[in-house]
Every structure is written in C-alpha cells, then in structure tokens.
Amino acid sequence: MPMTSEIELAPGRWVGGPHPCFIVAEVGQNHQGDVDTAKSLIKAAKESGADCVKFQKTCLREKFNATALQRPYCGPNSWGKTYGEHKQHLEFSISQFKELQDFAFQNGIIFTSSAMDSASVDVLDTLEVPFLKIGSGDANNFPLLKYAASKKKPMVVSTGMQSMDTVRAIYKLLKAAKCRFCLLHCVSAYPTPAQDVNLRVIQTYKTEFPDVPIGYSGHELGITISISAIAMGAQVLERHITLDKSWKGSDHICSLTPSEFRELVDQVRTVEAALGSPAKQFQSSEEPCYNKLGKTLVAARHLSAGMSITEENIKVKVAEPKGCPAEKLYEVIGKKLLRDVGEDESIMCDDLE
C-alpha cells in the first residue's frame, strides 16, 4: 500500500507519512459561553501537550430554520427556554473569537474551529485559521464542503453518521476541488459504546484512500480506545477537553480533563515510539540479554580438524566465548573444520572453511 500522503495542516506542521500524530483538543462548546473559561481550556490544552485547540462557529440562522430555533428546550443541559436561546448562549462573537485566537497564539498552540455553515466559513477565513474543520453533522452537506474547499485551506472532515458510500462521495468531491484534506473516522454517540467504535474502519480508510491522512475523532469514555486508534494508524486524533465532567452540557461526560488529556498525549507518544520501524532487526537494547543468554553452536563431542559438520556432532548452548550463532546451524552443516574443537567447546565462525 502506498504511503499516506503528507499535508501541511498548519504552518510548519505536517500530518501524514512519518510525522507524529496531530492531536486536537476540542473545546467545542465546553466553555459554557464564557470567554474566561474558554481561555482556561486553551491553556489546559497547551499544558496537556495538544498540538491544536478547536472551537465551533455557527451562524444560527444559516444552520437552523426558524422552527428549529423556536423549539422548546428545557432539559438539564439547556441554557435557554428555546433551542435558539440555548445555542445563542454558547455562541461567541467574531471579536470574542479573535480574542481567543490571540490568546492561543500567545500560549503557543494552534487555534482553529469547526465551520457549521457557509457564513461561519467566511468568518474563519477572515480570521485566517490554518485549516477548517467540518464536523460529522455536516460531512454530507456537499454545498458546504464545496464552499469550504473554495477557500483553498486544508480541511479535516469527521465522518460520523455517514455510510461508506457517502465517505467515498466526500473524498471524490474534495479531490475534484483540489483540496488538501484529512478524513477522520468517527462515531457520533456521546459517549460511544466500545462495541460501536469499530477502529478497523481506520484501516479501511487507509486502504481505500491511501493518498490522504486518516485520523480518529473519539467520543468514548477514557483514553484506551483513542490510544488504540494510533496503533491502528490514525495520524490525527481529536478528543474533547473539559475542566469539569459534571458541568451542564452533553459533551462533558465524554470529554477528558486536563490530567487525562496529558496522559492521553503521553501514551500516544509512547505508542508512536513503540510502533517504530517495520524492519525486524536486532536492537542494541537487546545486547545485554544476548550476552547473557544468546545461543552458540558447540561441539557435541571432540571434533578433529578436517571433519565435516553434521547436525549430530553439534549442539546449541549458552556458551563462553560466544561462537557461531545458533541460527547459522543449517548453514554450517557440511562445512569442514579447520582446527580441532574439544567437546562442549564453542565453534567459532573462523573455525569453518
């Protein structure tokens, strides 16, 4: 399979190929509509080792029709009497977004956002975010995908709630638009049951779309599944971050606290190091064990110079000094000895013609 292509998702930050997994801490709307809380989450994301912090931008009248905005919304997670009031409470203005973007820059972390509609694409383009995120809910919104692609920025597209045929259509649309993009496997359930995650989809994507980086956006509890996604080949990882899982909001329960996010990042980097090279070879770290227990060919009985080696007249033992390594057994059979070798003595490679 060809190596996944590389794209520059942000200035100097490449994704795909041999590059480290790009880890996104999604604030989403876990800021509770408060700029100071949002800043605390940005700082927590940076301190947790994330590469990027991501928010959500919506023009409510573009995303929802009037009836949807007027729908009563009185559940435990509500910030208003109607769904429109609830969403408006959680929506930052352009100036607030700019303030948060500047704060992220000051703290040395990449800032971007999901665009939920074409008006929000324009806002984020004006803010010059390095890449645009399209969430699962808009992955089949082909007009939005085309409009976002027209901005000529890299894109990251989550694919929750979509069929494989729809994902193929997304790929074809963005390829036709000459867009640089990543596809993220995702299951839009909050939290996602482990049996519904199906991490093998990552490999399906990597096989079918070998020329784009593939990642994972997780909504499960804990960090085990997300770490496993890295072992499956995910090159972008997105998880929600929160300051308190008990806060009002449906995303908090499947979000990670700063300490959990730090642990996730550390474990991802450990897995990446462990994945290493596909080449199987002797490692320098194995040398102490080899010196102690590595096997050598030894004489099963006294062998005289000129004798031909047979399988019956040699044994494999831990021996001093180290001689011809055990894996050379079938290579040395039939070769003649150049010197006498005593019983139980190491047979050296130089002892054979």
Side-chain angles (χ1 to χ4, degrees), residues 109-123:
I109 188 168
I110 297 166
F111 176 96
T112 196
S113 174
S114 295
M116 304 294 195
D117 48 76
S118 58
S120 297
V121 168
D122 288 337
V123 169

Side-chain angles (χ1 to χ4, degrees), residues 297-299 319 339-347 351:
L297 300 181
V298 301
R339 68 173 182 91
D340 291 351
V341 179
E343 182 178 352
D344 213 34
E345 184 181 346
S346 297
I347 298 173
D351 295 337

Side-chain angles (χ1 to χ4, degrees), residues 28-45:
Q29 296 188 328
N30 282 354
H31 49 70
Q32 314 297 86
D34 180 73
V35 169
D36 288 337
T37 300
K39 288 180 178 179
S40 294
L41 284 161
I42 291 171
K43 194 170 183 181

Side-chain angles (χ1 to χ4, degrees), residues 7-281:
I7 68 170
E8 191 175 15
L9 203 54
R13 188 59 171 88
W14 289 79
V15 174
H19 302 288
C21 180
F22 186 78
I23 301 177
V24 179
E26 173 159 11
V27 171
Q29 296 188 328
N30 282 354
H31 49 70
Q32 314 297 86
D34 180 73
V35 169
D36 288 337
T37 300
K39 288 180 178 179
S40 294
L41 284 161
I42 291 171
K43 194 170 183 181
K46 171 63 178 178
E47 292 172 349
S48 297
D51 297 295
C52 176
V53 63
K54 186 180 79 67
F55 287 78
Q56 295 175 7
K57 191 76 188 84
T58 306
C59 175
L60 298 183
R61 293 187 181 278
E62 287 287 331
K63 181 172 181 178
F64 303 98
N65 71 5
T67 303
L69 292 174
Q70 292 164 8
R71 185 177 70 219
Y73 195 67
C74 303
N77 292 321
S78 174
W79 292 97
K81 293 180 181 179
T82 66
Y83 195 64
E85 290 177 0
H86 164 76
K87 294 297 290 184
Q88 188 59 55
H89 174 83
L90 295 169
E91 194 63 36
F92 287 139
S93 67
I94 297 174
S95 62
Q96 288 173 319
F97 247 70
K98 177 61 175 157
E99 182 180 349
L100 294 174
Q101 184 184 43
D102 291 343
F103 185 80
F105 179 79
Q106 292 162 10
N107 281 271
I109 188 168
I110 297 166
F111 176 96
T112 196
S113 174
S114 295
M116 304 294 195
D117 48 76
S118 58
S120 297
V121 168
D122 288 337
V123 169
L124 297 174
D125 185 43
T126 299
L127 289 172
E128 298 183 343
V129 297
F131 68 93
L132 294 170
K133 171 69 192 294
I134 301 296
S136 293
D138 285 303
N140 61 350
N141 186 345
F142 297 147
L144 178 61
L145 287 175
K146 287 180 71 174
Y147 188 67
S150 75
K151 299 300 181 179
K152 304 303 179 183
K153 293 179 179 291
M155 289 170 59
V156 175
V157 182
S158 284
T159 58
M161 301 182 287
Q162 311 304 326
S163 69
M164 192 64 191
D165 283 343
T166 300
V167 177
R168 292 186 183 106
I170 293 166
Y171 172 85
K172 290 178 182 177
L173 185 155
L174 294 178
K175 277 292 178 181
K178 300 188 185 304
C179 181
R180 298 159 291 154
F181 65 99
C182 305
L183 292 174
L184 306 189
H185 171 47
C186 179
V187 179
S188 299
Y190 301 79
T192 307
Q195 64 269 23
D196 290 348
V197 174
N198 295 316
L199 286 180
R200 288 190 175 94
V201 171
I202 294 170
Q203 287 296 322
T204 299
Y205 282 8
K206 290 174 78 71
T207 298
E208 184 139 354
F209 314 118
D211 54 344
V212 299
I214 302 300
Y216 174 68
S217 176
H219 302 113
E220 71 278 359
L221 300 178
I223 64 174
T224 302
I225 290 171
S226 290
I227 294 167
S228 300
I230 305 306
M232 294 295 289
Q235 296 161 311
V236 178
L237 176 63
E238 182 180 282
R239 288 296 304 271
H240 285 260
I241 189 169
T242 184
L243 299 178
D244 190 332
K245 294 185 184 185
S246 69
W247 279 355
K248 182 190 297 188
S250 57
D251 289 343
H252 290 289
I253 190 173
C254 55
S255 301
L256 301 176
T257 63
S259 62
E260 289 174 324
F261 212 102
R262 174 78 262 178
E263 178 68 10
L264 171 67
V265 173
D266 289 345
Q267 293 295 331
V268 165
R269 300 310 180 206
T270 297
V271 170
E272 286 181 320
L275 286 172
S277 167
K280 173 59 179 171
Q281 55 191 349

Side-chain angles (χ1 to χ4, degrees), residues 278-293:
K280 173 59 179 171
Q281 55 191 349
F282 181 85
Q283 300 296 321
S284 59
S285 61
E286 297 178 294
E287 192 166 346
C289 187
Y290 175 77
N291 290 338
K292 181 180 180 181
L293 297 173

